[in-house]
């Protein structure tokens, strides 16, 4: 027997009455208009939600919101405004000075404006090194709250994942809010 098993056996032998784990029910918040709530929560976090209208080209919307971006990274086939594919780079340091990264999110959370993203690029540094980040999410993929969000990630397979809500920010130094402290200075979510 290993020392781990010895320890667990000792704990079991000193455990009194055992109880079955209770069924947990949570009355989590549900929103009448998830898109509206998501947009408001993202705005409160310093980001912006852009609802793509019928017939609008996502590339034109991106160019309209980021007219000064010259170095644009994306590996998504329908993003034609990208100036380079980040997967073509061998060293993640080559991503430095990226003005805009355009990636895909799996779903958004109305409660807090967060978007679940997983690694869909060769170097996950892209999500944090670009000056601005555009995340594409389907409108139907906005869930109400984090309880629903975690259920969606429960059985998913991924090597990296995070919830991202708005741009990087900190207010540590003299309580002055600073954007872009540890990642993008701007985050937009395009709901299509």
């Amino acid at each position: 027997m290993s020392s781990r098993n010895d320890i667990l056996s000792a704990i079991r032998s000193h455990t009194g009455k055992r109880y079955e784990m209770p069924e947990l029910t949570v009355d989590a918040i549900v929103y009448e208009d998830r898109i509206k709530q998501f947009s408001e929560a993202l705005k409160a976090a310093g980001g912006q939600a852009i609802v793509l209208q019928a017939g609008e080209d996502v590339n034109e919307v991106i160019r309209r919101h980021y007219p000064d971006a010259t170095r644009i990274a994306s590996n998504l086939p329908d993003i034609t405004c990208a100036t380079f594919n980040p997967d073509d780079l061998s060293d993640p340091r080559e991503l430095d000075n990226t003005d805009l990264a355009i990636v895909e999110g799996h779903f958004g959370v109305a409660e807090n404006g967060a978007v679940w993203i997983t690694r869909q690029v060769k170097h996950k540094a892209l999500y944090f090194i670009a000056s601005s980040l555009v995340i594409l999410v389907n409108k139907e993929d906005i869930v109400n709250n984090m309880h629903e969000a975690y259920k969606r990630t429960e059985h998913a397979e991924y090597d990296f994942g995070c919830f991202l809500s708005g741009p990087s920010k900190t207010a540590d130094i003299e309580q002055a809010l600073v954007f872009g402290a540890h990642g993008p200075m701007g985050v937009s979510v395009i709901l299509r």
Side-chain angles (χ1 to χ4, degrees):
M1 225 194 258
S2 71
S3 59
R4 176 182 177 267
N5 289 334
D6 291 341
I7 293 168
L8 291 174
S9 293
I11 292 171
R12 284 188 198 100
S13 69
H14 290 89
T15 301
K17 187 174 180 183
R18 292 180 176 245
Y19 297 93
E20 292 297 318
M21 184 171 175
E23 184 66 34
L24 299 176
T25 57
V26 177
D27 293 328
I29 193 161
V30 175
Y31 298 97
E32 190 174 313
D33 187 343
R34 292 188 309 251
I35 303 294
K36 180 181 178 206
Q37 174 58 35
F38 176 83
S39 299
E40 289 171 0
L42 183 60
K43 183 178 180 180
Q48 70 172 334
I50 302 162
V51 179
L52 201 63
Q53 301 303 315
E56 268 189 310
D57 177 39
V58 69
N59 293 287
E60 290 175 14
V61 171
I62 292 167
R63 284 317 239 157
R64 187 169 55 241
H65 282 85
Y66 295 93
D68 298 331
T70 55
R71 191 158 190 254
I72 303 172
S74 186
N75 66 357
L76 302 174
D78 58 331
I79 301 302
T80 57
C81 64
T83 60
F84 74 100
N85 183 335
D87 294 344
D88 293 341
L89 305 177
S90 58
D91 187 340
R93 291 175 290 192
E94 295 176 86
L95 293 167
D96 195 17
N97 296 318
T98 298
D99 296 320
L100 179 64
I102 304 162
V103 300
E104 201 158 40
H106 294 280
F107 60 89
V109 185
E111 178 179 35
N112 57 13
V115 176
W116 175 248
I117 57 174
T118 58
R119 184 201 309 245
Q120 298 169 21
V121 292
K122 185 177 177 181
H123 305 292
K124 64 185 175 217
L126 179 67
Y127 301 128
F128 309 103
I129 200 166
S131 295
S132 295
L133 185 64
V134 169
I135 307 171
L136 307 176
V137 177
N138 291 326
K139 290 180 213 176
E140 299 81 36
D141 292 328
I142 303 294
V143 299
N144 286 294
N145 52 61
M146 289 303 290
H147 299 285
E148 292 177 19
Y150 282 122
K151 283 192 185 305
R152 288 194 66 171
T153 64
E154 232 169 25
H155 303 292
E157 289 189 29
Y158 52 88
D159 69 339
F160 167 82
C162 73
F163 285 101
L164 198 134
S165 181
S168 165
K169 56 197 152 298
T170 185
D172 294 352
I173 302 163
E174 298 179 10
Q175 297 181 351
L177 184 60
V178 176
F179 286 97
H182 311 290
M185 289 185 282
V187 172
S188 298
V189 177
I190 297 180
L191 300 167
R192 32 187 198 171

